[in-house]
Amino acid sequence: MVTISIAGGSGYTGGELLRILLDHPKINIKQATSQRFAGQPVGMVHPNLRGQTLPLFSKIDELESCDLLFIALPNGKSMALMPRFFEVAPRIIDLGADFRLNSAEVWQQWYGNQHQTPELIKQFIYALPELRREEIKKAKHITGPGCEAIVSILSLWPLIKHGVIEKENIIIDAKMGSSQAGSKATPASHHPERAGTVRSYLPTGHRHTAEIEQELTVNGKRPRVLISATAIEMVRGVLVTIHTFLKNDLSEKDIWKIYREEYGDEPFVRIIKRRQGLYRYPEPKILEGTNFCDIGFKKDRHSNRLVVIGAIDNLVKGTAGNAVQCLNLMLGFEETLSLKFPGLHPV
Amino acid sequence: MVTISIAGGSGYTGGELLRILLDHPKINIKQATSQRFAGQPVGMVHPNLRGQTLPLFSKIDELESCDLLFIALPNGKSMALMPRFFEVAPRIIDLGADFRLNSAEVWQQWYGNQHQTPELIKQFIYALPELRREEIKKAKHITGPGCEAIVSILSLWPLIKHGVIEKENIIIDAKMGSSQAGSKATPASHHPERAGTVRSYLPTGHRHTAEIEQELTVNGKRPRVLISATAIEMVRGVLVTIHTFLKNDLSEKDIWKIYREEYGDEPFVRIIKRRQGLYRYPEPKILEGTNFCDIGFKKDRHSNRLVVIGAIDNLVKGTAGNAVQCLNLMLGFEETLSLKFPGLHPV
Amino acid sequence: MVTISIAGGSGYTGGELLRILLDHPKINIKQATSQRFAGQPVGMVHPNLRGQTLPLFSKIDELESCDLLFIALPNGKSMALMPRFFEVAPRIIDLGADFRLNSAEVWQQWYGNQHQTPELIKQFIYALPELRREEIKKAKHITGPGCEAIVSILSLWPLIKHGVIEKENIIIDAKMGSSQAGSKATPASHHPERAGTVRSYLPTGHRHTAEIEQELTVNGKRPRVLISATAIEMVRGVLVTIHTFLKNDLSEKDIWKIYREEYGDEPFVRIIKRRQGLYRYPEPKILEGTNFCDIGFKKDRHSNRLVVIGAIDNLVKGTAGNAVQCLNLMLGFEETLSLKFPGLHPV
Amino acid sequence: MVTISIAGGSGYTGGELLRILLDHPKINIKQATSQRFAGQPVGMVHPNLRGQTLPLFSKIDELESCDLLFIALPNGKSMALMPRFFEVAPRIIDLGADFRLNSAEVWQQWYGNQHQTPELIKQFIYALPELRREEIKKAKHITGPGCEAIVSILSLWPLIKHGVIEKENIIIDAKMGSSQAGSKATPASHHPERAGTVRSYLPTGHRHTAEIEQELTVNGKRPRVLISATAIEMVRGVLVTIHTFLKNDLSEKDIWKIYREEYGDEPFVRIIKRRQGLYRYPEPKILEGTNFCDIGFKKDRHSNRLVVIGAIDNLVKGTAGNAVQCLNLMLGFEETLSLKFPGLHPV
């Protein structure tokens, strides 16, 4: 058995890691830390796991050696602690933003303060299995993408790789659930204010822009990605409506082939484009709890626009599930281990 | 007192007309027709109006003479009946799509079947007071815009008129509530399937494209508008996130001035762009029941993109309220009569 | 014109008072205080009122003389300040709990701490117009009931008065929206935790028990009321399902007559019991923003149980609207002034 | 491998059976029938199962022999077909109501029409493992309880068995999600009407009354159960608030012991009663997709009332999951096989 611990186990990502790993036949969970809840029952914070998981949260400075450490701390918190974490475990999966960007300067530009351990950045692999499977298999330290970045990159990658869309002005219109903002109550998350909302909380300036552009850079050509994020009535889930423009007059069949070529063997990417039924394009609702990224598209007859639609559960394929998929790769396990929940319908 | 009747009074638009006109000091409601509910209590279908409105629905062929007739029938139903409606009332406000487009061919192209009374099209004025107030004042026959069209046109008009944005590829990402699909139950509107949905029901091909492009044509230059519509968890309301590109480097202050110039005196258009508070941009939630169209915008530092955000209640400013505003203009009443409900918070 | 001010104007009740009074032809609003937001725009906190109400919040010690003062402070805050408020205005409407109970001891028993101005309690009339209209007309100082109490008392009063139900063990199963807990964010109101919840937050021990029993005491016989309160997915609204037992075998028609006799002339109480349509019993959804209390009932064939169903908008008939109704009575205005909003459908 | 088929596979219960059995290591699914969707893809109707389950629905008269047949047909449909089903499979699990009641007369009284195969009733065991585990293990034909009945019976059974509550007038106030009404769209399920509703759809007269009273009859003493059912904003889930009265003055600890004694070893019944955290009593939200029945209680200081709170996912422990639990018992498998999903949080 492989032992893992979680630094930052009381947030929503930490809870999902604990849930997913419950089922994992080769993993032992050793500790989960929490600043707010150290010494208190894990099941009080994650009520779905009562009686099934670790009894109590630990303090972060009580972390003992383990085989792999997940880090699910708020952005900006892991960089200074990373040297310490390196002593705790030979393998690290950091789910925060601190090591996602290749460049400390770009980090500062988007996150506002100076990177504290820029010398460690190069040790981290951007943990998107569909793009970097072989690197992840060999990696010791990986950094999980942002949830909005994962679904956007996966939706766009085949089109960028095959060079079929214009790279200037790729517009990502993201619809977001409330859980992506974390487990801490704020005036904006107060139910009477947040319920039923359609709130343009980031019409411009979304930080995931940087990592999406970074990962979609091919042959040194960086695309320009323009995000608008709107908070809607939903707890889990992200749906991105991506407005792109085709360079040449491809048919929908051509585009289907491109996605098929890239993702035909992927266990967690599905192309959803149906003529019948209610669920003809991706929808986050039926992905709750699953590790799938569903992708669909529609060509506009009125122009050369290609609308690409991507959906995930932000806490699974968007963070914790994707991390466990990477863990499986890093440790040589079957890639889909403990990630087979098919989702619920209706829900 | 002016007498009015409603052809098609049992749908959601008919219900809102009845509600808004309850309060109107100069209007008497004579009849409301319903094919499904003729002879049955109006208050059974519109439970908020029990005991306060007409007792029973009439049949459409029982319509008696009145001063003004509202038509709230499904698309495609009013064109053949219009000669008959002309005999019922000297003034007509048609809230369906049949007479919105200047050209019978364009109508057929977007709505699929041949127009049955193309010779009448020219008699109808497109009923958007903010753009055509003087025409509406003098009109006998007007045609209410589509709800998604109203908020999009109002959001874009100042920018188009002042020539500050590129007219090619204006992208309208619309978030829609369930009431816009009407009052008839369908498999897609079944609560377990529709609740919590983020459904790309029209990624391309939205019919309102035609009227938006028509109304935003200036000096013969037709813009190209690209709509994607997504159904979200909401009953009332539309929010459009419009992605446009500035031709020149205008400041946000410059843009504010343009909106101010066009809408500074408008009673129902508000520019919403705040630095503080939770409601910094337009949100449909606090517009429920109101006749406001709230508009905001944000310039992207990362490109020349200007994101414009518009919100309405689809059943008020999006249909019935806008129609009453036009009635007030047509009949020489104060424009805001019976339209002053400020909206609720929280809700 | 009568001038009023609001002590505690930034909460949800304060906001509703401001909204309702916007429309009132005989009231001038002078000040609204807020501890948290003093000096900040009222429209930032109550976004539906932007540009239509007072510009800024005042401090509570800046309150100037006015004709009537509303107090919408948290429970326990007004009792010590009341002598000072008496200097501000000759008429007081306190919407908190401090003066609702006739006895300081009972107050302490349910609210946990000692009453600070027990000598003032007798000066306050319990402000339920349907039960105490004439007293309210003559009163200087009144105390608004709790929202859950209002709907329960109105639902039960005719049955108690006519002596037709057993007074032991009246069970009130209350379904509550999130706005009743106030405008302050807490871990329990965090959207991912509160959304979609069916939470038994007060299975027993609801404080409104005391005032309901007090007001339903007839001829010295105090009934025993047993409340369970469950928080559900809703922002505004309370629905109570009240399980009572008939003493004798009355028909539904008999019961209808009893309600009719008590409420036939009431402007804001409606008996809702229909055979057809979707809205056959009271539902809070279509009461949003209205001052109605809808009441329905159903006799059980399986026993002598009579199920009584009551619904209100907790912020209108449950607090602010009921207070304005009382203001109209106290000042000799038409009782329904500025309270005629009929509600929305669908919503 | 054991082969199973499902008669009535396109409803929500059928979909859940297919989902749960995906995971089952000892079951092969042979056929799923659908009248509406015969010949069409299963994944179109159950989008969460696309590519993972049977390809197409069969007609009911195409059913081939199998080891166990699930019947998930509308109430009243299986009784006439049962002789035919007996030929299809030696083991039957009927999830409809037709064989739940011991008496054809009582059936007719509650379901309105005559039972067509009363001679078969005695062959069916009421399939509640917590009460009838040994009978189920030996049974060939079992009948799944109603969802509202399961959670009510499980919540009450220990109290009834131990004789600690009054058996007259047990009041069950049930809060129901929309999925319990099935997969067919109706005017009442139309999203704009159903969303946000608190609808007293069955204030009295709930059919599950009959089976609850039947199963809670001890020593020939039938309790009297009084249900009121309210539809709330929720897709999956039932919460019952049960108002009972203690015969003697038991402490909460005594009651805890009674539940502990009955359910201490049950894999799917949990006693939830906490002092801390947000989830102190049972909540259906965190049970979505799980086979748990969570039960809590609170003694009223104000009377001898004991409030019991029970929650389930109506489609899992309420139907399909409970049926699979019984299948495991009937076939000698581990009782929890394929039923270990712990639920999601937040959701």
Side-chain angles (χ1 to χ4, degrees):
Chain A
M1 297 292 279
V2 171
T3 56
I4 69 101
S5 290
I6 303 171
S10 66
Y12 292 150
T13 301
E16 276 298 82
L17 285 170
L18 290 168
R19 175 187 68 84
I20 295 168
L21 293 172
L22 270 190
D23 223 26
H24 200 296
K26 305 193 171 174
I27 294 291
N28 254 348
I29 303 173
K30 203 165 172 183
Q31 292 175 294
T33 76
S34 172
Q35 221 173 341
R36 269 193 289 169
F37 298 103
Q40 295 191 56
V42 175
M44 185 188 79
V45 175
H46 305 305
N48 56 328
L49 306 180
R50 282 190 282 228
Q52 306 192 53
T53 188
L54 295 174
L56 302 176
F57 288 111
S58 308
K59 291 187 188 158
I60 204 162
D61 50 15
E62 296 168 353
L63 270 178
E64 297 166 18
S65 290
C66 60
D67 296 322
L68 186 149
L69 181 68
F70 287 100
I71 304 170
L73 296 172
N75 290 337
K77 292 286 179 198
S78 78
M79 51 189 176
L81 295 166
M82 197 53 78
R84 157 95 175 96
F85 292 144
F86 281 3
E87 289 169 19
V88 169
R91 286 184 175 81
I92 301 274
I93 302 182
D94 185 1
L95 293 166
D98 296 17
F99 294 93
R100 284 183 201 154
L101 301 182
N102 296 337
S103 143
E105 281 127 55
V106 179
W107 203 91
Q108 183 166 356
Q109 181 186 328
W110 287 92
Y111 289 85
N113 36 34
Q114 207 176 349
H115 204 288
Q116 293 167 280
T117 49
E119 70 284 3
L120 301 181
I121 289 178
K122 292 220 172 123
Q123 300 192 27
F124 282 82
I125 299 293
Y126 193 84
L128 198 45
E130 291 78 5
L131 273 72
R132 300 178 182 272
R133 184 168 280 109
E134 295 311 314
E135 291 171 81
I136 294 166
K137 281 183 184 170
K138 288 177 244 156
K140 296 294 181 202
H141 305 145
I142 68 175
T143 170
C147 65
E148 208 280 341
I150 282 193
V151 63
S152 297
I153 294 169
L154 288 175
S155 297
L156 285 164
W157 170 244
L159 304 174
I160 295 282
K161 183 178 169 196
H162 289 249
V164 298
I165 56 168
E166 293 173 11
K167 284 180 157 192
E168 286 298 304
N169 299 336
I170 295 170
I171 292 168
I172 299 175
D173 196 288
K175 288 87 177 167
M176 313 293 287
S178 60
S179 64
Q180 65 86 25
S183 63
K184 217 181 143 198
T186 66
S189 78
H190 185 49
H191 184 270
E193 307 297 340
R194 181 62 179 76
T197 281
V198 193
R199 182 167 294 161
S200 305
Y201 73 106
L202 276 176
T204 67
H206 197 297
R207 289 165 166 181
H208 292 181
T209 305
E211 57 186 283
I212 297 171
E213 292 187 352
Q214 169 184 294
E215 293 301 306
L216 293 178
T217 296
V218 175
N219 298 329
K221 291 203 177 157
R222 192 179 178 95
R224 190 164 59 177
V225 160
L226 304 173
I227 304 178
S228 292
T230 307
I232 63 171
E233 177 59 63
M234 172 162 66
V235 171
R236 280 186 184 231
V238 180
L239 185 125
V240 289
T241 311
I242 309 182
H243 307 272
T244 70
F245 292 91
L246 290 169
K247 285 190 202 159
N248 304 305
D249 188 26
L250 297 181
S251 69
E252 290 205 333
K253 205 171 169 181
D254 296 330
I255 297 160
W256 182 279
K257 278 183 193 162
I258 288 171
Y259 277 105
R260 186 79 180 241
E261 187 180 326
E262 296 305 319
Y263 294 142
D265 296 330
E266 282 300 334
F268 294 117
V269 181
R270 304 185 294 196
I271 312 306
I272 303 295
K273 182 170 170 50
R274 302 291 151 99
R275 299 230 170 127
Q276 287 188 304
L278 299 175
Y279 297 78
R280 291 176 290 131
Y281 292 100
E283 296 200 19
K285 179 166 128 142
I286 57 168
L287 300 182
E288 284 180 2
T290 81
N291 199 46
F292 294 114
C293 176
D294 283 358
I295 302 173
F297 58 88
K298 177 76 182 170
K299 200 187 154 193
D300 196 340
R301 290 185 188 186
H302 193 55
S303 73
N304 64 329
R305 181 173 62 139
L306 179 74
V307 180
V308 181
I309 299 151
I312 56 168
D313 178 332
N314 56 305
L315 298 177
V316 190
K317 185 61 179 170
T319 5
N322 185 69
V324 172
Q325 185 182 353
C326 291
L327 167 150
N328 286 334
L329 290 170
M330 287 168 87
L331 298 174
F333 302 149
E334 189 196 346
E335 188 169 342
T336 60
L337 220 54
S338 85
L339 292 167
K340 287 172 187 161
F341 180 63
L344 300 173
H345 170 259
V347 77
Chain B
M1 294 293 277
V2 171
T3 58
I4 70 102
S5 290
I6 303 171
S10 65
Y12 291 149
T13 301
E16 277 298 82
L17 285 171
L18 290 168
R19 174 185 70 84
I20 294 168
L21 293 172
L22 269 190
D23 224 26
H24 201 295
K26 303 192 172 176
I27 295 290
N28 253 348
I29 302 173
K30 201 164 172 183
Q31 291 177 295
T33 77
S34 171
Q35 223 173 343
R36 268 192 290 169
F37 298 105
Q40 296 192 54
V42 174
M44 186 187 80
V45 175
H46 304 306
N48 55 329
L49 306 181
R50 283 191 282 227
Q52 306 194 51
T53 186
L54 294 174
L56 302 176
F57 286 113
S58 309
K59 290 185 187 161
I60 202 162
D61 49 17
E62 295 167 354
L63 270 178
E64 297 165 19
S65 290
C66 60
D67 297 322
L68 187 150
L69 180 68
F70 287 100
I71 304 170
L73 296 172
N75 290 338
K77 291 288 178 197
S78 77
M79 54 189 175
L81 295 167
M82 198 53 79
R84 157 94 177 96
F85 292 144
F86 280 4
E87 291 169 17
V88 168
R91 285 186 173 80
I92 301 274
I93 301 181
D94 186 0
L95 293 168
D98 296 17
F99 295 94
R100 283 182 203 155
L101 301 182
N102 296 337
S103 144
E105 282 126 54
V106 179
W107 202 92
Q108 184 166 355
Q109 183 187 324
W110 286 92
Y111 289 85
N113 36 35
Q114 207 176 349
H115 204 288
Q116 293 167 280
T117 48
E119 70 281 5
L120 300 182
I121 290 177
K122 293 219 170 124
Q123 300 191 25
F124 282 82
I125 299 293
Y126 192 84
L128 198 44
E130 290 78 6
L131 274 72
R132 297 177 184 274
R133 185 168 280 111
E134 297 309 314
E135 291 171 81
I136 293 166
K137 281 182 183 171
K138 289 176 241 156
K140 296 295 180 200
H141 305 145
I142 67 174
T143 171
C147 65
E148 207 278 341
I150 281 192
V151 62
S152 297
I153 294 169
L154 289 177
S155 297
L156 286 164
W157 170 243
L159 304 174
I160 294 282
K161 183 177 167 197
H162 288 248
V164 298
I165 56 169
E166 293 173 13
K167 284 180 157 192
E168 285 299 303
N169 300 337
I170 294 169
I171 292 170
I172 300 175
D173 197 288
K175 290 84 176 168
M176 313 293 288
S178 60
S179 64
Q180 64 87 24
S183 62
K184 219 180 140 198
T186 66
S189 79
H190 186 48
H191 184 271
E193 308 296 343
R194 180 62 178 77
T197 281
V198 192
R199 182 167 293 160
S200 305
Y201 74 105
L202 275 176
T204 67
H206 197 297
R207 287 163 167 183
H208 292 182
T209 305
E211 56 186 283
I212 297 170
E213 292 187 352
Q214 169 183 294
E215 294 301 306
L216 293 179
T217 296
V218 175
N219 297 328
K221 291 206 177 155
R222 191 179 178 96
R224 191 163 61 174
V225 160
L226 305 172
I227 305 178
S228 292
T230 306
I232 63 172
E233 177 60 61
M234 171 163 64
V235 172
R236 281 186 183 228
V238 180
L239 186 125
V240 289
T241 312
I242 307 182
H243 307 273
T244 69
F245 292 91
L246 290 169
K247 285 189 201 161
N248 303 305
D249 188 25
L250 297 181
S251 69
E252 291 205 331
K253 204 169 171 185
D254 296 330
I255 297 160
W256 181 279
K257 278 183 193 162
I258 288 172
Y259 277 105
R260 187 81 182 240
E261 185 179 330
E262 296 305 318
Y263 295 143
D265 296 330
E266 284 299 336
F268 294 116
V269 180
R270 302 186 295 196
I271 311 307
I272 304 295
K273 181 169 171 52
R274 303 290 151 99
R275 298 230 168 126
Q276 285 187 303
L278 299 174
Y279 296 79
R280 291 175 291 130
Y281 293 101
E283 296 200 19
K285 179 166 128 143
I286 55 167
L287 299 182
E288 284 181 3
T290 80
N291 199 47
F292 294 114
C293 175
D294 283 357
I295 301 173
F297 58 88
K298 178 77 183 170
K299 201 186 152 190
D300 196 340
R301 291 185 188 186
H302 194 52
S303 73
N304 62 329
R305 181 172 61 138
L306 177 75
V307 180
V308 182
I309 298 151
I312 56 169
D313 178 331
N314 56 306
L315 297 177
V316 190
K317 185 59 180 172
T319 4
N322 186 68
V324 172
Q325 185 182 354
C326 290
L327 168 149
N328 286 334
L329 291 170
M330 289 167 87
L331 297 174
F333 303 150
E334 191 197 344
E335 189 169 342
T336 60
L337 221 53
S338 86
L339 292 167
K340 287 172 188 162
F341 181 62
L344 300 173
H345 170 260
V347 75
Chain C
M1 296 292 278
V2 171
T3 57
I4 70 101
S5 290
I6 303 170
S10 65
Y12 292 151
T13 301
E16 277 299 82
L17 285 170
L18 291 168
R19 175 187 69 82
I20 294 168
L21 292 173
L22 267 192
D23 226 25
H24 201 295
K26 303 189 173 178
I27 295 291
N28 254 349
I29 304 172
K30 202 165 171 182
Q31 291 177 296
T33 76
S34 172
Q35 220 172 345
R36 264 192 294 169
F37 298 104
Q40 295 191 55
V42 175
M44 184 187 82
V45 174
H46 305 306
N48 55 329
L49 305 181
R50 281 190 281 229
Q52 304 192 54
T53 187
L54 295 174
L56 302 176
F57 287 111
S58 308
K59 290 186 189 162
I60 203 161
D61 49 16
E62 296 167 352
L63 271 178
E64 298 165 18
S65 292
C66 59
D67 296 320
L68 187 150
L69 180 68
F70 288 100
I71 304 170
L73 296 171
N75 289 339
K77 291 288 178 196
S78 78
M79 51 190 177
L81 295 166
M82 195 55 76
R84 156 95 177 96
F85 292 145
F86 281 3
E87 292 169 19
V88 168
R91 287 185 172 81
I92 300 274
I93 302 181
D94 185 0
L95 294 166
D98 295 16
F99 294 93
R100 284 182 201 155
L101 300 182
N102 296 337
S103 143
E105 282 124 56
V106 180
W107 203 90
Q108 182 166 357
Q109 182 186 326
W110 287 93
Y111 291 86
N113 35 36
Q114 206 178 350
H115 203 289
Q116 293 167 277
T117 49
E119 69 282 4
L120 301 182
I121 290 179
K122 292 218 172 126
Q123 299 192 26
F124 283 81
I125 299 294
Y126 192 83
L128 199 44
E130 291 78 7
L131 273 71
R132 300 179 182 271
R133 184 169 281 109
E134 296 311 313
E135 290 171 82
I136 294 166
K137 280 182 184 171
K138 289 176 242 156
K140 297 294 181 201
H141 305 145
I142 67 175
T143 168
C147 64
E148 209 278 341
I150 281 194
V151 64
S152 297
I153 295 169
L154 289 176
S155 297
L156 286 164
W157 171 244
L159 305 173
I160 294 282
K161 183 178 167 195
H162 288 249
V164 298
I165 57 169
E166 293 172 11
K167 283 180 156 191
E168 285 299 303
N169 298 337
I170 295 169
I171 293 170
I172 300 175
D173 196 288
K175 290 84 175 166
M176 312 293 288
S178 59
S179 64
Q180 65 85 26
S183 63
K184 216 179 143 198
T186 65
S189 78
H190 186 49
H191 184 271
E193 307 297 341
R194 180 62 179 76
T197 280
V198 192
R199 182 167 295 162
S200 305
Y201 74 106
L202 275 176
T204 67
H206 197 297
R207 290 166 168 182
H208 291 182
T209 305
E211 55 185 285
I212 298 171
E213 293 187 352
Q214 168 183 292
E215 294 300 307
L216 293 178
T217 296
V218 175
N219 298 329
K221 292 205 178 157
R222 192 180 177 94
R224 191 164 59 177
V225 160
L226 304 173
I227 304 179
S228 291
T230 307
I232 62 172
E233 177 59 62
M234 172 162 64
V235 173
R236 281 188 183 229
V238 180
L239 186 125
V240 289
T241 311
I242 308 182
H243 307 272
T244 69
F245 293 91
L246 290 168
K247 286 190 201 161
N248 303 303
D249 188 26
L250 298 182
S251 69
E252 291 206 331
K253 205 170 169 181
D254 296 330
I255 297 160
W256 181 281
K257 278 183 195 161
I258 289 171
Y259 277 106
R260 188 79 179 241
E261 188 181 326
E262 297 305 318
Y263 296 144
D265 296 329
E266 283 298 336
F268 294 118
V269 180
R270 303 185 296 195
I271 311 306
I272 303 295
K273 181 169 169 54
R274 303 291 151 99
R275 298 229 168 125
Q276 285 187 303
L278 299 174
Y279 296 79
R280 293 176 290 131
Y281 292 102
E283 297 199 20
K285 177 166 127 143
I286 57 167
L287 299 182
E288 285 180 1
T290 81
N291 199 46
F292 294 113
C293 175
D294 284 357
I295 300 173
F297 58 87
K298 177 79 184 169
K299 200 186 151 191
D300 196 340
R301 293 185 188 186
H302 194 52
S303 73
N304 64 330
R305 182 174 59 139
L306 178 74
V307 180
V308 182
I309 298 151
I312 55 167
D313 178 333
N314 56 306
L315 298 177
V316 190
K317 185 61 180 169
T319 2
N322 185 68
V324 172
Q325 184 181 353
C326 291
L327 168 150
N328 286 333
L329 291 170
M330 290 167 86
L331 297 173
F333 303 149
E334 191 196 344
E335 189 170 341
T336 60
L337 220 53
S338 85
L339 291 167
K340 288 173 185 158
F341 180 63
L344 299 174
H345 170 259
V347 75
Chain D
M1 296 291 277
V2 171
T3 57
I4 69 101
S5 290
I6 302 170
S10 65
Y12 291 150
T13 301
E16 276 299 82
L17 285 170
L18 290 168
R19 174 186 71 85
I20 294 167
L21 293 172
L22 269 191
D23 225 26
H24 200 294
K26 302 192 174 177
I27 295 291
N28 252 349
I29 302 172
K30 203 164 171 183
Q31 292 176 294
T33 77
S34 172
Q35 222 172 342
R36 267 192 291 169
F37 298 105
Q40 296 191 54
V42 175
M44 186 187 79
V45 174
H46 304 306
N48 55 328
L49 306 180
R50 281 189 283 229
Q52 306 193 53
T53 187
L54 295 173
L56 302 177
F57 287 112
S58 308
K59 291 184 186 161
I60 202 162
D61 50 16
E62 295 168 354
L63 270 178
E64 298 165 18
S65 292
C66 59
D67 297 322
L68 186 150
L69 181 67
F70 287 100
I71 304 171
L73 296 172
N75 289 339
K77 292 286 178 199
S78 78
M79 54 189 175
L81 295 167
M82 196 53 78
R84 158 95 177 94
F85 292 145
F86 281 3
E87 291 170 19
V88 168
R91 284 186 175 80
I92 301 274
I93 301 181
D94 186 1
L95 293 168
D98 296 17
F99 295 93
R100 283 181 202 156
L101 301 182
N102 296 337
S103 146
E105 282 127 53
V106 179
W107 203 90
Q108 184 167 353
Q109 182 188 326
W110 286 92
Y111 289 86
N113 36 37
Q114 207 177 350
H115 203 287
Q116 293 167 282
T117 49
E119 70 282 4
L120 301 182
I121 289 178
K122 294 220 170 123
Q123 300 192 25
F124 283 81
I125 299 292
Y126 192 84
L128 198 45
E130 290 77 6
L131 273 71
R132 301 178 180 272
R133 183 168 281 108
E134 295 311 313
E135 291 170 83
I136 294 166
K137 280 183 182 169
K138 290 176 242 156
K140 296 293 180 204
H141 305 145
I142 67 174
T143 171
C147 64
E148 207 279 340
I150 282 193
V151 64
S152 296
I153 295 168
L154 289 176
S155 297
L156 286 165
W157 171 244
L159 304 175
I160 295 283
K161 185 179 167 196
H162 288 249
V164 297
I165 56 169
E166 293 173 12
K167 283 180 156 191
E168 286 297 304
N169 299 337
I170 295 169
I171 292 170
I172 301 176
D173 196 288
K175 288 85 176 166
M176 313 292 289
S178 60
S179 65
Q180 65 83 26
S183 63
K184 218 181 142 196
T186 66
S189 78
H190 186 50
H191 184 272
E193 307 297 342
R194 180 63 178 77
T197 280
V198 193
R199 180 168 295 162
S200 304
Y201 74 105
L202 275 177
T204 67
H206 198 296
R207 289 165 166 180
H208 292 182
T209 305
E211 58 186 281
I212 296 170
E213 291 186 355
Q214 168 182 291
E215 294 301 307
L216 293 179
T217 297
V218 174
N219 298 329
K221 291 207 178 154
R222 192 179 178 93
R224 190 163 60 173
V225 159
L226 304 173
I227 304 178
S228 292
T230 306
I232 63 171
E233 177 61 59
M234 171 161 67
V235 171
R236 282 186 182 229
V238 180
L239 185 125
V240 289
T241 311
I242 308 182
H243 307 273
T244 70
F245 292 91
L246 290 170
K247 286 190 203 159
N248 303 305
D249 188 27
L250 298 182
S251 70
E252 291 206 332
K253 204 169 171 185
D254 296 330
I255 297 159
W256 181 280
K257 277 184 194 159
I258 288 172
Y259 278 105
R260 188 77 181 243
E261 186 179 328
E262 297 305 318
Y263 295 143
D265 296 330
E266 284 298 335
F268 295 116
V269 180
R270 303 186 293 197
I271 313 305
I272 304 296
K273 182 168 170 52
R274 303 291 152 99
R275 299 231 169 127
Q276 286 189 302
L278 299 175
Y279 297 79
R280 292 174 291 131
Y281 293 101
E283 297 201 20
K285 179 166 127 145
I286 57 168
L287 299 181
E288 285 181 0
T290 80
N291 199 47
F292 294 112
C293 176
D294 282 358
I295 301 173
F297 58 89
K298 177 77 183 169
K299 200 185 153 194
D300 196 340
R301 292 185 187 186
H302 193 53
S303 73
N304 63 331
R305 183 172 60 139
L306 178 73
V307 181
V308 182
I309 298 152
I312 56 168
D313 179 333
N314 57 306
L315 298 176
V316 190
K317 185 60 179 170
T319 5
N322 186 67
V324 171
Q325 186 182 353
C326 291
L327 168 150
N328 286 334
L329 291 170
M330 289 167 86
L331 298 174
F333 303 149
E334 189 196 346
E335 189 170 340
T336 60
L337 220 52
S338 86
L339 292 167
K340 288 173 187 158
F341 180 62
L344 300 173
H345 170 258
V347 73

